[in-house]
Amino acid sequence: FTVGIASLSPAFADAVKSIPIIGSVFELIGEDGVKKASKLGLSHKLNQQVRIGDQDITFTESLYDGSNINLGWIASDHDKNIYEFLNNISFTVNGKHISDYAANAPALKLENGTYGGLLQIDPKDKLPDKFTLGVVSRDEKTTYVEISVESQGSYLTIPIAKSGMWNDYEMNYDALALYSTTTELTFRLQGTNSAIGILKFMVRDERGHVLRTTGNQVSSAQNNSEYK
């Protein structure tokens, strides 16, 4: 399949050669959860070539498990700021602008002068299981590409309803959501959100081994936060 889509574009074919794991940007750059979900076959192959500003971007694959939207992309270097196109885009779901989201965009320079990157979109609001993701200009006058997205894999939400004290702050733990790519802990910090940015959690498996974690917080006006 990779050979088939590579034959559609010489530029895409050259970029694929630089990705050592069967052309998967997810398995090359993604965090542990994204890599695992890709290996489980939950990602969807794309060959969406678009021009954003003066950069040619190819979206190679997508992955959505009910939590984050992940897009793999490749682009040529040409001595430009490879992140420039990210400053020129916003997103829509079924034509409606996504106004409240967090984003992460790690990238890696490949052997032949191209870059491979992962664009991770973490919307605050719950999305439907199936939708059309639009990559549009900041002024929303130009639609660069529309990508059909469907949730893959299963997820489980577990109510917690526990509270505790941390540095004289009362913390109320509401729920734990288990997705294919990530685990989300929803909690409330009473009285202030000034300490949200320094919170870290230690995660152990059933044998007591400490697991490697990455995390980010999204705060709301009610001091509700998610840690992933």
Side-chain angles (χ1 to χ4, degrees):
F1 181 80
T2 300
V3 173
I5 60 176
S7 66
L8 298 177
S9 165
F12 183 75
D14 289 341
V16 166
K17 292 176 183 177
S18 293
I19 304 175
I21 309 175
I22 58 172
S24 174
V25 175
F26 288 159
E27 294 181 32
L28 178 64
I29 301 174
E31 297 174 355
D32 292 346
V34 173
K35 290 179 179 178
K36 180 180 179 181
S38 179
K39 290 178 180 178
L40 290 174
L42 302 183
S43 61
H44 178 67
K45 293 291 184 181
L46 303 171
N47 183 28
Q48 299 281 0
Q49 301 176 351
V50 298
R51 188 167 184 82
I52 302 175
D54 59 353
Q55 289 179 299
D56 292 317
I57 309 296
T58 299
F59 292 105
T60 62
E61 53 207 310
S62 65
L63 172 60
Y64 175 60
D65 64 351
S67 175
N68 300 322
I69 306 169
N70 297 275
L71 295 176
W73 57 269
I74 54 176
S76 298
D77 182 2
H78 298 311
D79 297 323
K80 298 173 183 176
N81 176 9
I82 198 63
Y83 289 106
E84 181 180 350
F85 81 94
L86 296 175
N87 297 323
N88 298 320
I89 60 175
S90 58
F91 306 97
T92 62
V93 168
N94 293 334
K96 183 179 178 180
H97 179 66
I98 304 178
S99 58
D100 194 354
Y101 66 92
N104 186 31
L108 181 67
K109 190 170 185 177
L110 307 177
E111 294 178 359
N112 66 348
T114 59
Y115 274 80
L118 173 64
L119 179 55
Q120 190 174 68
I121 308 161
D122 180 13
K124 174 186 174 182
D125 296 328
K126 186 69 175 178
L127 300 180
D129 289 338
K130 188 175 183 180
F131 58 89
T132 298
L133 175 70
V135 181
V136 302
S137 59
R138 287 285 184 180
D139 60 10
E140 299 185 45
K141 293 182 179 179
T142 302
T143 298
Y144 297 116
V145 64
E146 290 186 330
I147 300 172
S148 296
V149 177
E150 185 171 357
S151 180
Q152 300 294 324
S154 59
Y155 64 89
L156 175 66
T157 300
I158 305 170
I160 300 176
K162 290 183 178 292
S163 62
M165 298 298 297
W166 173 76
N167 285 1
D168 296 326
Y169 295 112
E170 181 181 353
M171 298 188 67
N172 297 291
Y173 300 94
D174 294 332
L176 189 69
L178 306 176
Y179 295 91
S180 300
T181 61
T182 188
T183 298
E184 295 181 359
L185 174 64
T186 304
F187 61 90
R188 288 171 287 120
L189 186 61
Q190 293 294 327
T192 180
N193 60 6
S194 61
I196 292 296
I198 63 173
L199 286 176
K200 292 186 178 181
F201 292 85
M202 182 180 293
V203 181
R204 296 185 178 95
D205 65 12
E206 67 277 6
R207 298 182 179 180
H209 298 148
V210 177
L211 305 179
R212 183 172 69 88
T213 62
T214 59
N216 62 73
Q217 296 82 33
V218 181
S219 300
S220 73
Q222 292 77 30
N223 287 346
N224 286 349
S225 301
E226 290 181 351
Y227 187 91
K228 298 183 179 184

